[in-house]
Amino acid sequence: MSNYLDATVDVYRDAALKPDVGLCCTTTPIWQFPGLKIPKIMQEMNYGCGSTVHFRDLVNDPNILYVGVGGGMEVLQFSYFSRKKDGVIGVDVVDEMIQACKDNLEVAEKENDWFDKSFVSIRKGSALALPIEDASIDVAAQNCLFNIFTKEDLALALKEMYRVLKPHGRLVLSDPVTEQPMPESLRNDDRLRALCLSGSLSLKEYLEMITNAGFGTVEIRAKRPYRVLDPGHYDTAEMIFLESVEVCAIKDPMPADGPCIFTGKAAIYYGSEEYFDDKKGHVLMQNQPLSVCDKTAQAIKNLGRSDIYISDSTYFYDGGGCC
């Protein structure tokens, strides 16, 4: 284990023994579902930068994997949708965090009459070598963990997630990204990397890492302000702006012309005909926006038509459309 991974264990061992509310800055609300009560201790140990719990991913009694269990909040939320023995598997490398999660699930069981702690199986293991069988998981997730990894280790972690997912299974991720160069002095700071700050990639690099792992479809579901690294507090000559992204990568076959990445673009046809058909599976009805992946958006734009509008990326995609 390299030094930065040792530092990561130290940070989260301390965070398990003494909850640190300011350790991360979750940029999404804590989802509240009917009949679900999230214990206060879980909220205090919510060490993420977004949310990976999306109900439209969690249909048909899924088998769920969550890597980096934290205080157990998202493990509990996931179990709301998979109420069966070992329906949710949580994996963590830090003994103290595993124990804290188990303790918090005991509290959750007392506060939620529907919840049984047997719904969740907590295992010790690394994201770089998951203790999970091949093609056994419907939905895998991680929240503000993968940005800690070096690019080499991130490639391994994504490969492992791809391995354990069933065909068409979903990997849901939430991580910080930045469009500015990260100074090497910060990138090589083991503690800052462990704190989910200095390992951030650009969104383009982040998506390339995901698609290089084999995921054929990628959805950008949200992008929000996260943190700033300013010269007064960090070794940087200029302020570095971090954003939090929520991404879903689907284990679809890789298209021959490359992955389908949805960043919230839409195509709108406003010509004189009833509809426009590009003969490649994309039918645009009169003045009705259709969500399209970036690849399709560019292909339609390349047609040079004056009666089709292609919107900019909103970095918010909620399904629908075609590719």
Side-chain angles (χ1 to χ4, degrees):
M1 184 178 280
S2 68
N3 288 336
Y4 89 90
L5 292 177
D6 288 338
T8 301
V9 170
D10 290 341
V11 166
Y12 290 96
R13 178 187 296 117
D14 292 343
L17 296 174
K18 184 179 179 181
D20 185 352
V21 176
L23 182 62
C24 290
C25 179
T26 302
T27 56
T28 54
I30 295 176
W31 300 120
Q32 300 286 349
F33 303 113
L36 170 61
K37 182 177 181 181
I38 300 173
K40 181 180 178 182
I41 183 64
M42 285 186 174
Q43 298 183 45
E44 291 175 348
M45 298 178 70
N46 182 16
Y47 303 139
C49 61
S51 177
T52 60
V53 182
H54 296 261
F55 59 84
R56 66 185 174 91
D57 299 326
L58 303 171
V59 297
N60 300 324
D61 200 22
N63 295 324
I64 301 165
L65 168 66
Y66 188 71
V67 181
V69 295
M73 186 184 79
E74 287 189 277
V75 168
L76 175 64
Q77 290 173 317
F78 278 123
S79 68
Y80 183 89
F81 296 92
S82 187
R83 303 184 188 189
K84 61 183 179 182
K85 188 177 187 300
D86 300 334
V88 180
I89 300 172
V91 173
D92 207 294
V93 75
V94 181
D95 290 327
E96 291 80 0
M97 193 64 80
I98 289 173
Q99 188 58 54
C101 181
K102 289 181 177 179
D103 292 343
N104 294 348
L105 290 173
E106 294 271 2
V107 177
E109 188 176 44
K110 295 175 182 177
E111 296 185 3
N112 292 271
D113 56 11
W114 61 269
F115 177 66
D116 189 306
K117 60 179 180 292
S118 69
F119 295 166
V120 180
S121 172
I122 304 296
R123 303 179 186 179
K124 183 171 182 179
S126 168
L128 307 180
L130 291 169
I132 307 293
E133 295 180 2
D134 293 358
S136 61
I137 299 296
D138 297 293
V139 178
Q142 68 80 30
N143 193 339
C144 210
L145 168 64
F146 280 14
N147 71 100
I148 292 173
F149 293 137
T150 62
K151 292 185 75 171
E152 294 75 17
D153 285 345
L154 175 57
L156 289 176
L158 289 167
K159 182 179 179 181
E160 278 292 276
M161 289 292 213
Y162 188 89
R163 174 184 67 80
V164 304
L165 281 170
K166 297 176 183 179
H168 307 293
R170 295 175 173 230
L171 169 59
V172 189
L173 314 98
S174 178
D175 281 304
V177 295
T178 182
E179 299 308 313
Q180 297 168 258
M182 185 70 68
E184 287 302 308
S185 59
L186 299 185
R187 198 171 289 284
N188 295 327
D189 186 311
D190 293 341
R191 182 169 175 80
L192 287 182
R193 183 175 281 276
L195 290 172
C196 308
L197 295 174
S198 63
S200 301
L201 301 174
S202 69
L203 181 59
K204 180 181 178 181
E205 290 177 295
Y206 184 73
L207 296 176
E208 285 178 350
M209 296 291 291
I210 292 170
T211 56
N212 285 345
F215 292 95
T217 303
V218 180
E219 303 174 353
I220 310 299
R221 293 180 167 175
K223 184 158 75 86
R224 303 179 178 91
Y226 181 58
R227 295 280 183 90
V228 294
L229 307 181
D230 67 284
H233 295 87
Y234 300 92
D235 184 15
T236 174
E238 63 178 8
M239 186 185 76
I240 300 173
F241 175 53
L242 305 182
E243 294 174 285
S244 168
V245 293
E246 295 175 13
V247 174
C248 178
I250 304 174
K251 191 177 177 178
D252 288 338
M254 182 65 69
D257 58 351
C260 297
I261 299 177
F262 289 85
T263 64
K265 290 186 177 182
I268 304 175
Y269 170 66
Y270 53 94
S272 58
E273 303 296 326
E274 182 181 357
Y275 62 88
F276 168 78
D277 185 351
D278 72 349
K279 309 301 182 182
K280 297 180 180 179
H282 312 110
V283 178
L284 306 180
M285 302 306 295
Q286 179 68 242
N287 214 23
Q288 295 183 24
L290 179 73
S291 294
V292 291
C293 74
D294 288 12
K295 180 176 60 179
T296 296
Q298 187 59 51
I300 294 176
K301 188 175 183 178
N302 289 345
L303 296 175
R305 295 184 63 109
S306 61
D307 55 3
I308 299 178
Y309 175 79
I310 303 295
S311 73
D312 293 333
S313 297
T314 62
Y315 302 104
F316 178 84
Y317 174 75
D318 198 29
C322 63
C323 193

